[in-house]
Each structure stands twice: as C-alpha cells, then as structure tokens.
Amino acid sequence: MLSLIRSLARSPIIGGMIIALLIAAFALWGVNDIFRNNSNAAIVVGPETVSASELARTYERQLFQIQRDNPEITREQADEMGLGDSVVQRLIAETAVDAKADQMGLSISDNTLFETLRSIAAFQNPFTSQFDPGTYASVLRENGYGGPLAERQFEADITSELRRGQFVSAALGGVYAPEIFGEIRAAYNGERRSLRALFLQPSLVDTPEAPDDDTLTAFINENARIFERPEQRRLTLMRVSPTDFLRDVEVSDEDLQALYDFRLENGDLAEPATRSLTQWPAPDQQTAEAAAARLSAGETVSTIVTELSLGEEVALADVQSYQVPDSQIADRAFTMAAGDIAAVQSQLGWRVVRIDAATDPDTPELSELEAELRDELARDNAEGMMLDALGVFEEARGNGATLEEAAMQAGLIAERIDFVAANGYSADREPALTLLQNPDLLTAAFSAQQGFATDLESYGEDGGYFVVRVDEIEPARLSELSEVREDAAQFWMVRETDDRLQTLVDDAQARLEAGETLDAIAESLGTGARVETAVLGRGETAGPFSAQLVGQAFRLPEGQRFAARAGNQTTRAIVLVDDVISVDPAQAERPSQQELTNELRNDATQIVTSALINAYEVRTDQTLIDQALGRTQLQ
C-alpha cells in the first residue's frame, strides 16, 4: 500500500478529513474514553453504561451486514422490522452480563486476546497461514468496522465477548442434559397428525363487479398506509471509485519486482526461514578456523574447547534472522545448511558457528504471483489517481464551484437521478440501480437537506467516495385514484372475493356444528370444494396442507377443528385433527446428548441473562436511543 500512502499524503482532501474526524470525535465523545462515556449514556444497567455512540456503532454494523447481503433494504425498513429495538435489547443483556463479570473480577489478558485474534482464519495471510495485519484491517472494513479506531473498537468487542464467555462457562459449565431429554425430544419429533380438511377455493363465490370510482376512492382512504406515495427526491450525485481509473493505469515490471521483493523481505510470501545454531567465541581467525575444521571432522566439542581455549557456548533455537543479536553472524548463518560449521567474523570478534537445524520454506516465484501483485499495484495506483482527482474536486468546491462544475474540473461525472423514494424505486416502480447497489448513497440522499451538497464521504467495499445533493423533494402523500386505479381495483377485487369466501367458511362451520360432515358440505357446494386427508409430521407439508396450517394442527388435541388459509393463502380450509399418532421413544431416532446439552445451556443462558437484567436497575434515554438509531436528527 506504499503508493496509496503517498497518495494520501499529497491529496489536499485527506489532511482536512483527518483533522475533521479527530475534532468531531473529541468534540462529540471526549478524549477520556471514546468507547464509554457516562455523560452520554443511552442505556444504564446497574453500574454499567452504554453510550449513544456505542449504540450507534453497534446498530450501524448490524445494518451494514444486513444491507451487504440485502442491498434493497433501507435503514427505515430495517428499523420497522425491529432491528433497532433488537440491538437495544441485546446490548441491555450483554451489559447485564458485563456488570456481573465485573463483580466477579473476570478479565481477559492481552495474551489471550492476541492468541484469539491469531487463531481466527479470516485474519490470516493465505500464503503463510499466519496472522496478517493487512488482512485483519481489510476484514474489519468488510464487516462494518471503519475509521482510524476500527481495530481498537473490534478488540474491545472481542475482549467483552471473551469475558462474557468466561462468565457463561463459570455459571453453566456443569449443566448437562439428562438422558430422559433424548426420549422426550424423540417423542416430540416423531409425533404425527392425521388430518382431514375441507378446502374452499375462491371460485366458489361470484366474481365481484368492477368497483366504481367512489368505491375505489373510499377503499384507498381506508387503506392509506398501503396507497401512500412515499417521499420522492430528485438528486445530483458524484461518485467515484478506484475501478474508474484502472483503465488508465500501467504497472511497470520494475514496480512489480519491487513489490515482490518487499513482500519477500517482510515474510509475507512464506513462513520465515529459521535456524538453530550454537556458537563459541575464538581468540582469533586462525583458532576459529582450526576449531571449525576439527568439529567438522568429528572431534568432541569439549576437547576442542579445552585445547583451543574457546569461550562459553551460546545456543539459539528456531530463531529468525532478525532475532540473532549479531547481524554478521545472522547473515552467514542463513546461508548455511543444517550440520554446517564455519568460522565467522562477528561484530565482537571471531566465532565458531554450527548450524544445528535449518528450515527454508519454499517461496513462490514472482511468475506465480504476477497476476495478483499486478492487480494490487494497479489498484493502489488507481487509488492514488482517484485521490488526486478528488483533491481537485474539493479545491474547486472550496473556491465556490457547484457540484457539477467541480466534477467537470476534476474530470469526474455528476449524475442526475430523477425522483426516487427511500427504497430506491421511483413512483412507477423503476429501480435506481446506482442507489440500490450502494445503500450508503441512498441513506445519505435521504438524510441530506435540500439544496446543499453533502461532504465527501466514503462508500462501498472498493474504497469509493461520493457527494450527493438533493435538488427537489416531493413530500409523502396519499396517492390519487388516477395514479393507482389499476392496483386499487385489483386489490379491492381480491379483498371482496376473500370477504365473500369468509362468509362461506362461516356457513360451513355452522353446518358442521349442526352435525353435517365435511364430505356432505363439499358435495353440496360442488366444484371448488373438496375434502383431502394427510398424515404429517412437524414441519412437513403436502399439497394444500401448508406449513402454517400444519403448525396450527400440532397445537391442538385429537378431535379439534380449526379454520385456516391453505395453499397460496387464497384458498380457505376447515381442518379436523382426526388422530394424534405417538411414536415409541425407544424406536425413534434421538439427537445426541451433546446437541441437547448445548440447547439446554443456551436456554439456561437466556434464563440467567434475564435474571441478571431483573437484578439490576435498567434505565434508558429514549431520546438518545432514537438519535443513535437515526430516527431523529441531532440538535
């Protein structure tokens, strides 16, 4: 990354960004402790606190990971699905455990943390299988840990997780599932239900006539949440990533060789060479050479040491070159093979050196790594070119140029994006792919004020940057009939048909209560009504017997009946649980005791955590929580 560092140093935007980050961090959270700030506590559990900044970071990482796999999900949608509240509850539970761990005096040593990090395969160099700082930093970025404090934040999180693990092990290490649990689970899993159901299809009712405008207008008003036209924004966007500059990059063979040599010298391409060696001080060159010759001939060490007045031996085991105190001895030793003996002039005089063991791992040739290294260099050079262009862009903006003018001066592109909603789609359901593929851009666009371009921000996994300006905002409103006539009419028809079918279900239920059979009712209703049977286990389905329907059946005893939706959910069903078929636990397949023990410990962990939460006073500041989750703007 040397070229990237040089680019960072010469790009005028970077200095200002770093200073701004530091000022913002210190101004918002203070310099005493960025990770816990009692004066900014969003959550208090007994003696422990969770600051608004910590809550925000945790939420952002969870949201980042969700949007990485599901880019169409917006921040608002994630919060509506309960992500924010889930993060708050998880932090309350973890903080309760932290408080108890503090009380018990549990701690994690730096060595334990270091060994844990070293053992995580994702952080290891693929060539050496050793912990690699560059890979470590990259993986953290990919999982939502960004900024200059990313490693410190992650290591603080890992330390907390390890300490909670200590507490759980101490509290629940002796919990084991008894044998009878296996029998109970086998009986539960093996149980089956014999079901008989009357299925009623929508074709049994008359097709409703098309609704008039008054009916549709009333229907739209009654279902305002469904027919609301969300806020729409028209945007101007400048975005750029190193990929945009790759076509202009040429990597020289000299740079390729230099990077290979740098990696080789730093041990990034293979395990480092090691030597185990023994050395004896000698008074002069002649004595050292004589001793080396006699040792090579097989004479005993003690005889030679006594007769030639050699000094006390010094042994080093499995050391790398830099670990040999004398560089001249190191240089010579690492050209020698196991069993070699030589007289070596060191910085402190002559020495007799014997190589007791040597390892020289195979190192891939430049030709084997050329494509990978060339791509890396091209990427670094492209990053430098991008940063230079952004420097011109920011300088132009600082001199009063508009977003479009600054982009033109820097050779960048300003995109116009017509009205789009926060979900990344226009009112006509056309996707804004640029925004859908990059959720950070969409979030920024719907957080910005109209008429003002945002500051330069990073986005994506490729190290890109963007600036967005909101040019116009169309507020949310209820859709006009003319805008949703077709959808509203179709929805009304489905709803009306379903209401009519519900009347048929109610009538069939009444006839069953009066003593009629399912078969008699089906025959009287004709085509569209039928009776089917099935014998199913938990989680099994068959034809119109959907998972939801079967799940309802397993909550009822033999002889009970219930109404449900079936098939594609437009078909209705009246279901009778004819028989509950038990299984002989001795004949059923049992889960392993370890699996049951793990489940029991997980359940016990939840119970213990709930007890801890109840044992401590829990206080929350909803205003700070809403601000941390992005529900309200900081004042």
Side-chain angles (χ1 to χ4, degrees):
M1 305 298 288
L2 294 178
S3 59
L4 175 58
I5 294 171
R6 290 194 293 270
S7 296
L8 289 172
R10 68 172 181 264
S11 293
I13 62 169
I14 298 302
M17 289 173 63
I18 293 173
I19 293 171
L21 284 171
L22 290 173
I23 292 174
F26 293 154
L28 288 175
W29 318 123
V31 297
N32 289 331
D33 190 344
I34 288 178
F35 296 103
R36 290 194 182 273
N37 186 333
N38 294 348
S39 64
N40 191 29
I43 301 169
V44 178
V45 182
E48 297 288 316
T49 65
V50 178
S51 69
S53 56
E54 183 178 356
L55 171 58
R57 282 195 303 271
T58 304
Y59 179 76
E60 291 298 332
R61 284 196 293 271
Q62 292 287 312
L63 180 63
F64 176 88
Q65 292 166 8
I66 289 172
Q67 291 180 329
R68 181 183 57 191
D69 300 327
N70 305 276
E72 73 282 358
I73 295 180
T74 66
R75 174 187 292 272
E76 289 74 17
Q77 289 172 329
D79 198 27
E80 287 175 4
M81 290 186 286
L83 177 62
D85 294 336
S86 173
V87 169
V88 169
Q89 292 305 312
R90 179 167 67 84
L91 285 175
I92 290 174
E94 290 178 352
T95 306
V97 176
D98 288 340
K100 190 63 177 179
D102 278 344
Q103 183 181 341
M104 296 172 64
L106 300 180
S107 63
I108 299 298
S109 68
D110 290 342
N111 186 60
T112 299
L113 172 62
F114 180 64
E115 290 302 321
T116 299
L117 295 176
R118 284 174 57 89
S119 68
I120 298 176
F123 299 155
Q124 296 171 357
N125 184 295
F127 297 110
T128 66
S129 298
Q130 297 295 311
F131 177 81
D132 179 70
T135 303
Y136 177 44
S138 175
V139 171
L140 293 190
R141 285 195 302 272
E142 292 171 3
N143 286 275
Y145 284 86
L149 297 172
E151 294 181 9
R152 182 179 170 187
Q153 290 170 359
F154 178 74
E155 287 159 15
D157 289 345
I158 287 293
T159 299
S160 297
E161 287 294 332
L162 291 172
R163 201 165 64 121
R164 293 183 199 114
Q166 273 190 346
F167 168 75
V168 171
S169 296
L172 304 176
V175 174
Y176 295 94
E179 289 289 335
I180 195 172
F181 272 30
E183 295 182 13
I184 295 172
R185 177 60 63 81
Y188 178 85
N189 289 339
E191 185 179 282
R192 300 173 71 78
R193 290 283 197 278
S194 176
L195 307 177
R196 191 154 46 96
L198 169 63
F199 292 101
L200 305 174
Q201 296 179 329
S203 60
L204 287 168
V205 299
D206 295 334
T207 301
E209 294 182 4
D212 58 28
D213 286 357
D214 290 341
T215 300
L216 282 181
T217 299
F219 183 71
I220 291 170
N221 291 329
E222 291 168 4
N223 296 275
R225 184 180 62 84
I226 297 173
F227 292 105
E228 181 185 61
R229 179 186 174 100
E231 177 185 298
Q232 306 278 318
R233 295 190 171 202
R234 177 180 285 145
L235 312 169
T236 298
L237 171 71
M238 188 290 296
R239 63 187 176 108
V240 64
S241 73
T243 305
D244 299 329
F245 293 85
L246 283 176
R247 62 182 179 274
D248 300 322
V249 172
E250 293 185 4
V251 176
S252 68
D253 292 340
E254 292 78 8
D255 286 345
L256 194 64
Q257 184 68 53
L259 178 58
Y260 176 81
D261 293 341
F262 176 77
R263 289 289 178 81
L264 185 62
E265 181 180 347
N266 284 274
D268 294 336
L269 301 182
E271 291 279 1
T274 63
R275 292 292 186 271
S276 294
L277 57 97
T278 305
Q279 54 179 308
W280 295 267
D284 51 47
Q285 179 179 0
Q286 183 177 1
T287 303
E289 291 176 345
R294 292 174 64 177
L295 281 173
S296 298
E299 291 190 45
T300 62
V301 171
S302 58
T303 299
I304 297 171
V305 168
T306 300
E307 292 182 0
L308 299 181
S309 300
L310 300 182
E312 185 176 351
E313 75 174 40
V314 177
L316 299 173
D318 294 326
V319 293
Q320 297 178 37
S321 177
Y322 75 91
Q323 293 173 309
V324 179
D326 192 307
S327 61
Q328 292 178 222
I329 293 178
D331 291 343
R332 182 63 185 280
F334 278 80
T335 65
M336 300 165 65
D340 287 352
I341 302 171
V344 179
Q345 186 176 20
S346 73
Q347 295 174 347
L348 299 177
W350 285 89
R351 298 288 187 269
V352 179
V353 178
R354 181 184 68 200
I355 304 301
D356 301 314
T359 59
D360 292 290
D362 291 334
T363 300
E365 298 293 333
L366 173 58
S367 58
E368 300 174 57
L369 304 175
E370 180 176 354
E372 177 185 339
L373 297 180
R374 192 176 293 277
D375 285 346
E376 181 178 336
L377 280 172
R379 167 80 183 194
D380 283 353
N381 290 335
E383 285 178 331
M385 296 170 67
M386 176 191 72
L387 292 170
D388 286 342
L390 289 175
V392 174
F393 175 80
E394 286 293 83
E395 184 177 2
R397 286 215 298 166
N399 291 331
T402 65
L403 189 156
E404 293 91 340
E405 292 168 346
M408 183 176 296
Q409 290 182 38
L412 304 175
I413 297 174
E415 306 174 52
R416 292 296 302 275
I417 299 176
D418 207 1
F419 284 109
V420 64
N423 63 1
Y425 286 83
S426 71
D428 296 327
R429 300 176 187 172
E430 291 294 326
L433 295 179
T434 296
L435 302 179
L436 287 172
Q437 293 167 357
N438 302 283
D440 290 344
L441 308 184
L442 192 59
T443 299
F446 277 82
S447 301
Q449 295 182 349
Q450 181 176 348
F452 296 93
T454 65
D455 291 334
L456 194 65
E457 298 182 47
S458 62
Y459 81 99
E461 298 179 4
D462 292 334
Y465 288 87
F466 75 94
V467 170
V468 65
R469 186 186 66 220
V470 179
D471 297 323
E472 189 176 349
I473 298 178
E474 182 183 283
R477 60 176 175 79
L478 187 63
S479 298
E480 299 288 343
L481 174 60
S482 59
E483 295 172 328
V484 294
R485 181 188 302 277
E486 185 177 341
D487 288 342
Q490 185 177 7
F491 189 13
W492 183 90
M493 296 283 283
V494 170
R495 178 75 63 85
E496 183 67 16
T497 299
D498 193 63
D499 288 344
R500 296 181 182 186
L501 193 59
Q502 180 63 50
T503 301
L504 202 60
V505 171
D506 294 340
D507 180 64
Q509 291 269 48
R511 292 171 66 180
L512 285 171
E513 289 287 345
E516 287 191 61
T517 65
L518 293 177
D519 291 315
I521 296 172
E523 184 177 356
S524 69
L525 293 175
T527 304
R530 69 187 189 281
V531 175
E532 293 192 25
T533 61
V535 178
L536 300 169
R538 295 180 191 276
E540 295 180 348
T541 61
F545 290 89
S546 64
Q548 181 182 5
L549 185 154
V550 174
Q552 289 180 258
F554 271 84
R555 292 193 289 270
L556 295 174
E558 179 180 336
Q560 293 293 307
R561 69 169 182 267
F562 62 93
R565 292 186 181 274
N568 63 1
Q569 300 299 300
T570 60
T571 296
R572 298 300 194 89
I574 300 174
V575 187
L576 176 65
V577 181
D578 268 342
D579 191 15
V580 175
I581 306 169
S582 300
V583 64
D584 182 356
Q587 303 297 320
E589 181 179 353
R590 299 187 186 185
S592 69
Q593 285 301 112
Q594 185 59 54
E595 179 183 347
L596 292 171
T597 293
N598 291 341
E599 292 181 10
L600 183 60
R601 289 179 179 175
N602 288 337
D603 291 342
T605 299
Q606 296 298 321
I607 294 171
V608 170
T609 302
S610 297
L612 288 176
I613 294 173
N614 292 331
Y616 294 113
E617 180 185 6
V618 178
R619 289 178 287 123
T620 58
D621 186 323
Q622 194 59 48
T623 300
L624 287 178
I625 288 174
D626 288 342
Q627 289 175 353
L629 300 180
R631 294 169 177 167
T632 59
Q633 297 296 317
L634 288 169
Q635 299 298 318

